[in-house]
Amino acid sequence: MTRQEYIRLKQSNPTELIYIYYKDKFDGYKHKPELSRNELMMYVQTYNDVNSILNYVVQECDSKFDIILLLNSNGQYIKSL
């Protein structure tokens, strides 16, 4: 995943971002089988909070791609640099 793809997914399709992160971190030697997109989201919704997982994935990817957030004086999001 490139930096531009990450920014686009973060804004348009966060569940896809979670799935891509899962596929990147999946270790086939430790866990089998790899879950499909729908299976992963069912599992996440059953056992965890989707927003907390998304926040974790966004923090990890922001640090990986050195993303800087541009916020207004009220702390509202304007754009990613």
Side-chain angles (χ1 to χ4, degrees), residues 10-68:
K10 181 179 170 181
Q11 294 172 351
S12 64
N13 194 354
T15 56
E16 181 69 17
L17 183 61
I18 292 172
Y19 185 69
I20 290 173
Y21 182 81
Y22 162 74
K23 287 189 67 144
D24 287 345
K25 298 296 180 180
F26 183 79
D27 185 358
Y29 294 109
K30 291 182 182 178
H31 310 286
K32 292 191 183 191
E34 183 174 328
L35 300 175
S36 71
R37 186 174 288 106
N38 292 335
E39 291 171 329
L40 177 66
M41 292 318 295
M42 281 183 4
Y43 176 79
V44 165
Q45 291 172 353
T46 303
Y47 296 104
N48 295 304
D49 178 31
V50 176
N51 288 330
S52 65
I53 291 176
L54 180 60
N55 288 336
Y56 177 79
V57 170
V58 165
Q59 286 177 349
E60 290 285 316
C61 291
D62 279 352
S63 65
K64 177 181 174 184
F65 293 116
D66 294 325
I67 300 294
I68 299 170

